[in-house]
Amino acid sequence: MAKARREIKEKLKLIDVVIELVDARLPQSSRNPLIDELAQQKPRLMLLNKADLADPAETERWRAFFKRTGAEVLAINAQTGAGVKNIAPACKTLASALYQKWEQKGMKPRPLRAIILGIPNVGKSTLINRLVNKRQAKVGDRPGVTKQQQWIKVKQELELLDTPGILWPKFDDQEVGLRLAATGAIKDELLDYGDVAAYALRYLAAEYPDLLEARYGIERNSEEDDIVPLFEAIGKKRGCIVRGGLVDFDKTAELILRELRSGTIGKVTLEKAEHEAL
């Protein structure tokens, strides 16, 4: 972590535009607080990745929120390529002052140099491969696949510096950790599936009860604090049963998280933009 931070600071003097990649399902929690420090005053393009899995209305609210901070914001899906074609034009717009400087000095424009920053498993390697239309960056469905920095050309427009994902060493807010765990940003072997699934299920019951009912055919009493009956109902509906007819809570928890992460439950955003604006 410390080594990656030092390397990024060394490279930033070569960078024209900082591209920050976050998860559209938890845009604030999937930001690394160190990126603001590392990016300094560089023009910033923020990409809300995995927008296909997020609540579209919430994504629009988050776009408006981040634009008020001075960043250019795009909602994308690196997996399918949706919105990716807008990245290079957005970088050019952000670097307009640099182009003017080159023109005034009579210099021929060179490809813009951009750095892609983000926490592990947010989709950086998938995005790069989509941009260059080939498998240049290693891709995996687990955090920490990118191990070292590499420069990658995107046609004649951009030169991208890929970097390993940076995750801060501790969470000041436990709920941030739970949100990240629910989406798979933290390695599964470090999690308690039951705790994370319980958090996700409680949130879904409060914010997306219609999705739960549609997926599992169950209703949730909004005034009920105990999440166990909801766990049991889902386990029974989906056949997560052990000997004696009891619900297998571990299997049920795994099911809930898998279906949340894949979007099978529906389009869900795990934090609200209006809460950040307060």
Side-chain angles (χ1 to χ4, degrees):
M1 197 79 62
K3 179 183 178 182
R5 180 179 176 180
R6 287 195 303 271
E7 289 178 346
I8 289 171
K9 290 188 74 173
E10 290 171 2
K11 296 291 186 182
L12 269 174
K13 59 185 177 182
L14 305 174
I15 297 300
D16 304 315
V17 177
V18 171
I19 299 175
E20 183 180 357
L21 197 62
V22 301
D23 191 322
R25 297 168 295 177
L26 55 163
Q28 191 72 336
S29 292
S30 60
R31 297 189 71 203
N32 187 324
L34 293 176
I35 290 179
D36 283 334
E37 171 197 333
L38 293 171
Q40 302 168 356
Q41 300 302 315
K42 299 285 184 179
R44 182 89 59 92
L45 173 61
M46 181 166 289
L47 302 178
L48 305 180
N49 192 29
K50 306 182 183 180
D52 58 308
L53 299 175
D55 182 336
E58 286 300 322
T59 297
E60 286 304 309
R61 294 187 184 99
W62 278 110
R63 284 185 62 189
F65 171 80
F66 285 125
K67 284 180 75 70
R68 289 196 295 270
T69 69
E72 184 65 31
V73 189
L74 296 175
I76 68 165
N77 178 355
Q79 193 71 42
T80 64
V84 171
K85 67 179 181 181
N86 298 320
I87 293 175
C91 287
K92 288 183 177 180
T93 299
L94 286 168
S96 58
L98 184 59
Y99 281 113
Q100 291 175 6
K101 180 179 178 182
W102 288 337
E103 185 178 358
Q104 291 170 359
K105 291 185 176 183
M107 298 171 60
K108 183 179 179 181
R110 58 164 173 77
L112 290 176
R113 296 169 182 158
I115 188 171
I116 297 181
L117 299 176
I119 67 171
N121 208 32
V122 78
K124 296 187 306 301
S125 296
T126 301
L127 172 61
I128 290 172
N129 290 335
R130 177 63 61 177
L131 285 167
V132 301
N133 198 28
K134 64 175 68 174
R135 192 179 178 87
Q136 267 191 254
K138 292 181 180 179
V139 177
D141 60 358
R142 65 189 188 280
V145 172
T146 303
K147 299 298 183 182
Q148 60 186 1
Q149 296 179 359
Q150 54 180 328
W151 284 98
I152 300 174
K153 286 188 177 181
V154 180
K155 298 181 180 179
Q156 301 301 316
E157 301 172 309
L158 285 176
E159 291 181 351
L160 298 176
L161 179 60
D162 184 24
T163 62
I166 303 176
L167 191 66
W168 53 101
K170 65 178 181 179
F171 308 115
D172 294 328
D173 184 347
Q174 183 183 10
E175 194 166 355
V176 170
L178 288 168
R179 291 188 192 117
L180 289 166
T183 58
I186 300 175
K187 292 180 179 180
D188 284 340
E189 53 264 36
L190 302 178
L191 311 178
D192 182 315
Y193 256 40
D195 290 345
V196 178
Y199 167 79
L201 195 55
R202 187 172 286 110
Y203 183 88
L204 290 169
E207 302 292 341
Y208 296 98
D210 292 346
L211 293 183
L212 282 181
E213 183 176 355
R215 179 60 186 165
Y216 301 114
I218 55 177
E219 295 185 13
R220 161 73 167 173
N221 183 348
S222 61
E223 297 180 357
E224 187 176 11
D225 292 330
D226 189 3
I227 206 71
V228 173
L230 192 54
F231 249 104
E232 291 181 333
I234 292 175
K236 289 177 181 178
K237 283 280 187 178
R238 298 303 298 275
C240 301
I241 305 296
V242 295
R243 184 172 297 179
L246 299 176
V247 171
D248 185 333
F249 280 87
D250 289 337
K251 189 174 181 180
T252 303
E254 184 177 352
L255 168 75
I256 292 167
L257 290 180
R258 183 174 65 249
E259 296 199 340
L260 172 65
R261 293 171 182 176
S262 67
T264 305
I265 290 176
K267 297 180 182 296
V268 171
T269 299
L270 293 173
E271 58 187 350
K272 304 290 187 178
E274 64 260 26
H275 295 166
E276 298 297 326
L278 296 178

